[in-house]
Amino acid sequence: ATGLTVNAGPKITSATPTSLARGASAQTMTIVGTGFVAGATVAISATGVTLGTATITATQITIPVTVSAAATLGAADVTITNPDGGRRTVTGGLTINAGPTVTSLSPSAMGAGAAVQTVTVTGTNFVNGAAVSFSGTGISVSTATFVNSTQLLVNVTVASTATVGPRDVTVTNPDKGASSLTGGFTVVTPPTVTSVTPASRGQGAVSQNLVVAGTGFVAGITAVFSGTGVTVNSVTVSSATSLTVNVTIDAAATTGVRSLTVTNVDKGTATLASGLTVNAGPTVTSTTPSALGRGAAAQTMTIVGTGFVAGATVAISATGVTLGTATITATQITIDRKSTRLNSSHLGISY
């Protein structure tokens, strides 16, 4: 008589991964072996571990595993049970590790447009290879550097179009343990730049005040012009909508249009593409006469050169020299002067 048939039970060769941490979500466990049949079940002995739907072949089972933040730590057994009751257990087949926690970020806010900024993430149970992510869109992480178990250094860029407001910050260890700090980081409204007055200055211009109009300016804001040869001496915040930027333009600065970028202390930035035009400065080829004696009255000086424009001024460094009205063309200036001092002097032209 055939009273009972004893079937071969399942055998387990390996189960990977061999460890997961608290906070791991829907991580695929792959169990390799033999004798698996449709309807087989998988059990993990630790509390706080939930399993999804298994995919089963005769030699492999894959199943999603989620580990709660309160799951029992330490080694847990992995058991396969076929529908006929045959079973096999791998003792200590999965180790539950402590997951990370995130307590703070510094800085915890940045303006939209902030580029390549370092953020310090503080917490516990960080391990080498931990990754950091921000909720929403517009914040990219280029690197996350492991410092120690309580600190990560994260290099982030906030797109100029990033939505302002709070973001959640998540740290995920290589064992998939994860933790999030709700609202741990805030994207701040960036400044804007609408105009610069005056919008052009000439080569060689010294200590010129430019008034920058826009929004969102705060104390400590900086300003920089593209290219070389335009030096920003100071930036004064008149109000949230107005800055005074004092600049000096090198005599050899390249002529043409320069962009202006302002950056708040929270690294939020704004750029005005046509922020300033550098004009060609005047050149002086000759002055006639080159000398006058004391007492000379209403003598006409002719200055020959290039780049003279209406409104140009002439200055002579000697004391006791007064100048009359200038007649200006692009290549010549004629001006009356009276000298009461016989002496070497310097000529300057500006506009």
Side-chain angles (χ1 to χ4, degrees):
T2 307
L4 177 68
T5 299
V6 177
N7 298 323
K11 294 182 179 180
I12 300 174
T13 305
S14 65
T16 54
T18 58
S19 65
L20 288 172
R22 285 173 169 172
S25 178
Q27 299 301 306
T28 298
M29 170 175 278
T30 301
I31 303 167
V32 177
T34 60
F36 306 147
V37 298
T41 60
V42 180
I44 296 176
S45 62
T47 58
V49 176
T50 57
L51 304 175
T53 301
T55 301
I56 303 170
T57 69
T59 59
Q60 181 175 288
I61 298 175
T62 57
I63 191 167
V65 180
T66 295
V67 183
S68 75
T72 303
L73 298 177
D77 300 339
V78 179
T79 300
I80 305 295
T81 305
N82 278 338
D84 63 5
R87 69 170 56 193
R88 186 61 58 97
T89 296
V90 178
T91 303
L94 180 68
T95 299
I96 307 300
N97 299 321
T101 64
V102 183
T103 55
S104 66
L105 277 75
S106 180
S108 60
M110 282 187 184
V116 195
Q117 299 298 312
T118 298
V119 175
T120 300
V121 181
T122 301
T124 61
N125 298 327
F126 300 151
V127 299
N128 194 13
V132 179
S133 61
F134 294 80
S135 63
T137 59
I139 302 178
S140 59
V141 176
S142 56
T143 59
T145 302
F146 174 78
V147 178
N148 54 45
S149 62
T150 63
Q151 191 175 88
L152 303 172
L153 297 180
V154 184
N155 192 279
V156 303
T157 293
V158 183
S160 60
T161 56
T163 303
V164 300
R167 304 295 185 92
D168 301 339
V169 184
T170 300
V171 173
T172 304
N173 279 337
D175 63 7
K176 306 306 178 183
S179 177
S180 295
L181 181 62
T182 302
F185 186 81
T186 300
V187 177
V188 180
T189 302
T192 65
V193 181
T194 55
S195 66
V196 178
T197 306
S200 65
R201 294 285 83 184
Q203 292 171 319
V206 176
S207 194
Q208 302 292 302
N209 283 330
L210 308 178
V211 176
V212 179
T215 61
F217 303 149
V218 299
I221 195 170
T222 61
V224 63
F225 291 89
S226 61
T228 59
V230 180
T231 300
V232 174
N233 303 315
S234 64
V235 179
T236 303
V237 179
S238 304
S239 69
T241 60
S242 180
L243 303 175
T244 298
V245 180
N246 186 275
V247 301
T248 292
I249 300 177
D250 190 84
T254 302
T255 59
V257 176
R258 307 294 185 91
S259 63
L260 167 64
T261 299
V262 298
T263 304
N264 274 335
V265 290
D266 62 13
K267 306 307 179 183
T269 65
T271 298
L272 181 64
S274 301
L276 179 71
T277 298
V278 177
N279 299 324
T283 64
V284 177
T285 305
S286 65
T287 59
T288 307
S290 58
L292 285 174
R294 287 177 174 171
Q299 301 297 307
T300 297
M301 169 176 278
T302 301
I303 305 166
V304 177
T306 61
F308 306 148
V309 299
T313 60
V314 178
I316 296 176
S317 62
T319 58
V321 178
T322 57
L323 303 176
T325 302
T327 301
I328 303 169
T329 70
T331 58
Q332 182 173 291
I333 299 175
T334 56
I335 191 166
D336 291 339
R337 73 175 185 174
K338 179 188 291 185
S339 174
T340 59
R341 178 177 179 181
L342 184 61
N343 184 312
S344 174
S345 61
H346 298 286
L347 170 70
I349 298 175
S350 65
Y351 52 79

